[in-house]
Amino acid sequence: MRKKFTKLIIPFAAASLLLAACGEQATNNSNNTSSGQSSKVASIKDESLKAASPDSVPAKALNRKDTFIATLSTNPGGAFLPNFYKTGYDGNVSSPIFDGLVDINEKGEYTPKLAEKWEISKDGKTYTFHIRKNAKFSDGKPVTSEDVAFTLSILHDPSYAGDTDISRAHIIGGEDYKKGKAKTIKGIEIVDDQTITIKTDSVDVQALSILGGPVLSKAYYGKGYHFGNLDYLKDLYQKPMGAGPYKFDKYIPNQEVRYVANENYWNGAPKIKHFIYKIANENGLQYFQAGDVDFAGFTANADNLEQLKSVGFANIDIYTGTPISFISINNKKEYMKDAKVRQALNYGLNRQQIIDTVYQGYGEVANIPIAPVSWAYNDEGVRKFNYDPKKAKELLDEAGWKVGKNGIREKDGKKLELVYLSAKSDDGLIPIAKENYKEIGINLKPEFSDFNALVSKVDKGNYDLASFSTPMIMDPNDVVADYHSKNADKNNGYKNPALDKLIEEGQNTLDQEKRKEIYHKLYKEFADNPPIILLNYRKILNGVSSRIDGVKQDPYNGILSSLTEVDITK
């Protein structure tokens, strides 16, 4: 599931600094019931806890006078360029380096960034951006309308293979440019160095975020550009240069990513000169306790919270996030095209038990593809998929899958054996899912690989089920747009004309109240003909060293929006 703004993908039970948690192993100590809906653990409150012993910071941390270190849970893939990276870890690496024209605040509202303001015409089809006069790239060159036009142009290039769907912006002349029928994009008008007007031929609620995304320097990234060939950019993937608060310094695979403050940043250089992502893998808690890092995210559960509380210098934040954990279903497989089979997979998995066991109650079963913090949340009247193995068995019977001699269902000589991909060998979902699915006649076959290899397998269609989480969700369309039939080939093969119609209606109106009605209908269709298995909405658990001030967190940005204000306590 790849989404707008950052196009991030992160694995279930492992999230990232700017998005959620660092993916520490969850402790499984709850009741492990095999049937029936397990009892829900009492809901966990959002709260901030001050350090019990703020003066107990380890000496090695106190000696870092000009450096802020945060964990990154998994080694990035190495493509540090917005619109071109494939994983959320690369997105995290890129985020401090690149700014967009617009930003998102803690309420999920659009706010100015490189653009000091913008206007949208009454018909919702023309956008005019006014770039800040003091906006500069880290090399000191000004951010101009030419850079914005260049960025939008390469996203229309026929050789572009990234995850940004620029067609959603509906820029007039975009398709002609992509097909080589025009040398420029007709709808892009450069008024002057700081002003650019973009005309579209239809309304799309997310056009602003797409048009206002990260800006690339034409002088830097445009060297060597020839229409129809973007391969030259690969040489710059690990030499990123943007207009964000930090400049890229060095990437040491499997160890760390280093940055230095951008003295040319439009909003003033960050207060801390050096920023480092330390790649933690499974060592986040140890690094935090030892003072090797100043900020770390963890799988939200009671055990990890208690361990963090025992670290006297830890300021702790627990809050409800917007990411959604889910299992992708490969709808390209013939046996997955039957909605009854996909419904059975949903009914047959005890999702509440996963929350109680893996997250010890620090989450909530997801019934619709949007988190409760969103204005669009409404699950009233939506099929809930409460754990019901009897219902799952009935659906599989109706779909023609009959129980064989060994208890595994069969149809047309094929056994119902499903390959489940995970990036964690200790994925706490697996023992629950194996037992649940065995009960209804399905043999679950887990396969493990590092996250980048997992993504490659999914892209090639070499899976039945794969465990993921969305990035932070800015808009309800972010989650569902991938399941439009036009995206079937590049996503998981799902096609549903009824859902297509509702997705388009949600995209093509700017009236939020009307959108609420549309998405409520959409969520009912999504559940009746599910493209995926929704798992849960999770709490976010982070620890911040008491030697650090200014870290602010919210469901839409993590700590990204406060990065320039982070400082070392005096």
Side-chain angles (χ1 to χ4, degrees), residues 12-13 24-31 299-304 351-362 424 426-432 536 538:
F12 174 70
E24 290 296 322
Q25 178 179 346
T27 303
N28 301 336
N29 63 0
S30 314
N31 255 347
T299 298
N301 60 38
D303 288 343
N304 284 339
R351 298 176 296 156
Q352 185 62 55
Q353 185 186 358
I354 293 169
I355 294 172
D356 293 349
T357 303
V358 179
Y359 296 110
Q360 299 167 346
Y362 282 70
K424 291 178 70 68
D426 57 356
D427 186 340
L429 175 148
I430 290 172
I432 297 171
N536 54 67
R538 293 184 288 112

Side-chain angles (χ1 to χ4, degrees), residues 548-570:
I548 298 295
D549 276 338
V551 173
K552 296 179 181 178
Q553 303 175 61
D554 68 68
Y556 295 95
N557 297 287
I559 69 166
L560 180 59
S561 61
S562 65
L563 202 54
T564 58
E565 299 303 314
V566 174
D567 202 358
I568 297 173
T569 57
K570 301 298 186 289

Side-chain angles (χ1 to χ4, degrees), residues 11 13-14 33 38 78 103 129 144 148-149 168 175 207 213 230 245 266-267 376 391 401 411 437 508 512 522 529 547:
T33 59
S38 60
D103 199 10
F129 294 94
T144 70
V148 177
R168 288 284 314 281
E175 283 302 306
L230 294 177
W266 65 268
N267 200 27
K391 179 68 172 176
W401 290 93
K411 181 179 180 181
Y437 285 150
N508 297 335
Q512 190 173 96
L522 186 153
N529 194 346
R547 86 180 194 97

